[in-house]
Amino acid sequence: MNSKYNFHYFQGSTLSDLFAQDITDASYGFILNYPATGSWAAYPNRKKYFIQDGSSEATKTSFDKICQKEPWKNLAVLGDRIPGIVIIPPSKSLIGYWQEHFSSHSNRSMMNCSTYLDDLSQSEHFDKLITLFPFDCLKPEKHAVPPDTHYRLLSKVTLDQLGVQCPKYKSYNLHQTNLEDIELPEFPYLIKTSHGLSGEGTYIIKNPSDFNYCFEEIKKYLDIKLLDTIIVSEFVKNEVQNYCVQFYVNKLGEITLIGTTSQLVTPEGNYLGGLIDYRNTDMNKFFEMIAAIGQYAHKQGYFGVIGFDVLEDRDGEFYAIDANFRVNGSTPLCLQRHTLLQLGKEVAKYSSDYRMEGTLDSILGTLKQELDRKDLIILSALEKAKYGKIYTEIYAIVTGKTIQEMQHIEQKLQDKGLQWLP
């Protein structure tokens, strides 16, 4: 460990244990789902805290992802110290699996998806609510982090204020600057909307065709009044590695390490999952960046999980390309550190793109040996039917003592019917 910084790894395995030090002053809950803007949303974020989750009704992030698969993944590792606000309950089979395979039972607080934000705003049971993103329809004083602060921290525009090296970029308020008047660099470059969800609103521009597509998407966002600001950013060339570095900053500004994953992304920049080596990942090389971002967040009044994405180029330079002031997609993967190291499993991969034919019950039977050995850990599972055939979409972690063993296990799982569909 770098002697300048006395950072230590988190010793627990749940989100509740991470937040425990900061939730003694009031009654806290954790809203596990993001806000949404689709027509199906009972509480669309369309007033102040815009989130870019699809430029048209056809491309909006789906109900099942926002309200089922994603929140259940965090519920799996929530633990029992903070009630998780659940608006669609997981299946009994999934809850039963969690109770058998995770060391701590999650504390669920079921609420009606049509009224939950009104109920929480008026609730005497919950004083403060931890969120992944500010909610327009939740009273500002009920947010654990002031919503204006949280929204500003989550903005892509904030990146160059964090005190770390990042690609050069310019931001443009589209109510003050016409799209046609924006000065564009040479190819390749990136255009990003201010608050894109899970890769949405990030466009890698390599040619005029890419630009035309991006231009049309941004115009759609403007037409539906869900976008104020974009950034135009340099493209980091000669990339050799893509990391997500995660840590927790408490209310005193003290930092606890959570973990670092190598990110799996498509050529278009869409997130596929994370790969982690619990034993051999050297977080020391990120300590300066962690300290700077943690200090900035603390000064702004933020506490909680922070994950920042870093590109390393072939010259060994690190560039922060995004900072997420919230629980991240691969946070549950990082939280398996101590459980898996005790089993001698040093390498693991998380993906939200597994699928297998049959019900969850049948899958739990078919893969029982792998699940009992923790070769496979299921975080979230949703049964669906297509053309009369039942299948289950699964968020899961595949593990191994080495990357070769992990790949061998994944192949065996594939032979049993578990598909990876990136």
Side-chain angles (χ1 to χ4, degrees):
M1 290 283 176
N2 188 324
S3 59
K4 185 178 175 184
Y5 300 105
N6 191 29
F7 299 153
H8 297 287
Y9 269 106
F10 174 55
Q11 295 301 306
S13 60
T14 69
L15 293 170
S16 282
D17 289 341
L18 256 182
F19 281 91
Q21 60 196 306
D22 291 321
I23 58 171
T24 57
D25 61 322
S27 176
Y28 283 78
F30 194 144
I31 301 180
L32 297 164
N33 57 283
Y34 282 96
T37 66
S39 61
W40 53 263
Y43 297 100
N45 260 39
R46 293 177 168 271
K47 298 173 188 171
K48 186 175 185 181
Y49 304 120
F50 298 153
I51 186 169
Q52 290 85 49
D53 60 350
S55 62
S56 67
E57 208 54 49
T59 60
K60 294 286 183 195
T61 306
S62 62
F63 172 86
D64 62 7
K65 182 172 182 178
I66 295 248
C67 297
Q68 295 172 291
K69 293 184 290 187
E70 290 282 335
W72 294 348
K73 169 196 68 181
N74 289 331
L75 183 61
V77 297
L78 180 62
D80 58 7
R81 297 195 193 191
I82 308 175
I85 309 302
V86 179
I87 57 175
I88 304 290
S91 69
K92 290 180 180 177
S93 299
L94 184 58
I95 293 170
Y97 164 80
W98 288 341
Q99 289 175 342
E100 183 180 350
H101 289 273
F102 288 100
S103 56
S104 176
H105 293 187
S106 290
N107 184 350
R108 301 185 302 279
S109 180
M110 277 301 307
M111 304 199 79
N112 188 312
C113 64
S114 302
T115 62
Y116 76 107
L117 290 183
D118 285 319
D119 296 341
L120 289 170
S121 289
Q122 306 303 324
S123 173
E124 294 181 1
H125 183 62
F126 294 107
D127 302 315
K128 296 287 183 182
L129 292 146
I130 297 160
T131 66
L132 303 173
F133 196 94
F135 285 85
D136 277 343
C137 299
L138 179 69
K139 283 183 177 178
E141 60 270 24
K142 287 283 188 176
H143 289 76
V145 174
D148 286 356
T149 298
H150 199 186
Y151 190 64
R152 187 172 66 252
L153 288 170
L154 288 166
S155 173
K156 303 289 189 286
V157 177
T158 304
L159 191 61
D160 65 0
Q161 299 171 32
L162 303 182
V164 297
Q165 181 168 257
C166 63
K168 292 177 184 173
Y169 66 87
K170 288 185 178 179
S171 62
Y172 298 91
N173 184 314
L174 298 180
H175 304 300
Q176 298 170 0
T177 305
N178 291 323
L179 273 173
E180 295 81 358
D181 297 334
I182 291 174
E183 190 179 331
L184 298 170
E186 292 182 5
F187 301 126
Y189 59 91
L190 286 93
I191 294 179
K192 298 182 181 184
T193 62
S194 61
H195 293 84
L197 176 64
S198 298
E200 170 62 30
T202 294
Y203 309 96
I204 301 172
I205 313 297
K206 295 181 179 178
N207 52 53
S209 175
D210 290 341
F211 173 75
N212 291 337
Y213 174 80
C214 170
F215 192 82
E216 290 303 314
E217 286 291 292
I218 287 172
K219 284 201 292 187
K220 288 179 191 174
Y221 273 120
L222 287 172
D223 288 343
I224 59 176
K225 297 181 171 56
L226 284 180
L227 180 64
D228 292 327
T229 306
I230 63 168
I231 70 164
V232 178
S233 170
E234 282 184 341
F235 185 83
V236 176
K237 296 176 182 175
N238 305 314
E239 170 204 334
V240 296
Q241 194 58 267
N242 184 341
Y243 303 99
C244 179
V245 183
Q246 297 184 49
F247 64 96
Y248 184 92
V249 60
N250 70 13
K251 288 180 178 178
L252 298 175
E254 298 163 342
I255 285 167
T256 303
L257 305 177
I258 299 174
T260 295
T261 62
S262 299
Q263 300 211 85
L264 305 172
V265 294
T266 66
E268 296 77 36
N270 295 321
Y271 177 70
L272 294 176
L275 182 70
I276 194 165
D277 185 329
Y278 296 109
R279 186 82 68 193
N280 298 313
T281 300
D282 176 21
M283 288 192 73
N284 187 72
K285 59 190 176 187
F286 302 116
F287 277 8
E288 296 276 355
M289 300 176 91
I290 290 170
I293 294 172
Q295 184 179 38
Y296 181 85
H298 176 62
K299 284 182 178 176
Q300 303 302 309
Y302 179 83
F303 73 96
V305 178
I306 300 173
F308 61 98
D309 299 339
V310 180
L311 295 184
E312 181 180 4
D313 70 14
R314 66 185 180 197
D315 297 322
E317 291 289 323
F318 294 113
Y319 296 89
I321 58 166
D322 200 5
N324 296 308
F325 293 80
R326 54 171 171 76
V327 171
N328 283 235
S330 58
T331 305
L333 171 66
C334 295
L335 291 176
Q336 303 310 308
R337 173 184 176 82
H338 300 293
T339 300
L340 292 177
L341 283 177
Q342 286 170 5
L343 297 172
K345 292 174 174 288
E346 299 185 7
V347 180
K349 183 182 104 175
Y350 159 74
S351 177
S352 57
D353 292 293
Y354 290 112
R355 179 187 291 190
M356 191 162 170
E357 286 189 12
T359 64
L360 179 58
D361 268 338
S362 70
I363 292 166
L364 293 176
T366 303
L367 303 181
K368 186 177 188 311
Q369 285 184 324
E370 289 81 4
L371 293 168
D372 286 347
R373 290 195 300 261
K374 285 193 165 50
D375 291 346
L376 180 72
I377 298 170
I378 295 174
L379 296 171
S380 185
L382 179 65
E383 295 171 357
K384 291 189 171 183
K386 190 173 185 180
Y387 307 127
K389 270 193 170 182
I390 297 170
Y391 63 94
T392 302
E393 295 180 344
I394 298 170
Y395 288 26
I397 296 168
V398 179
T399 72
K401 293 179 180 176
T402 63
I403 193 162
Q404 291 80 13
E405 184 187 78
M406 185 199 76
Q407 289 169 332
H408 177 67
I409 287 169
E410 193 166 37
Q411 182 59 54
K412 282 172 59 181
L413 288 164
Q414 192 176 324
D415 294 343
K416 285 191 168 186
L418 185 69
Q419 301 169 278
W420 186 41
L421 302 169

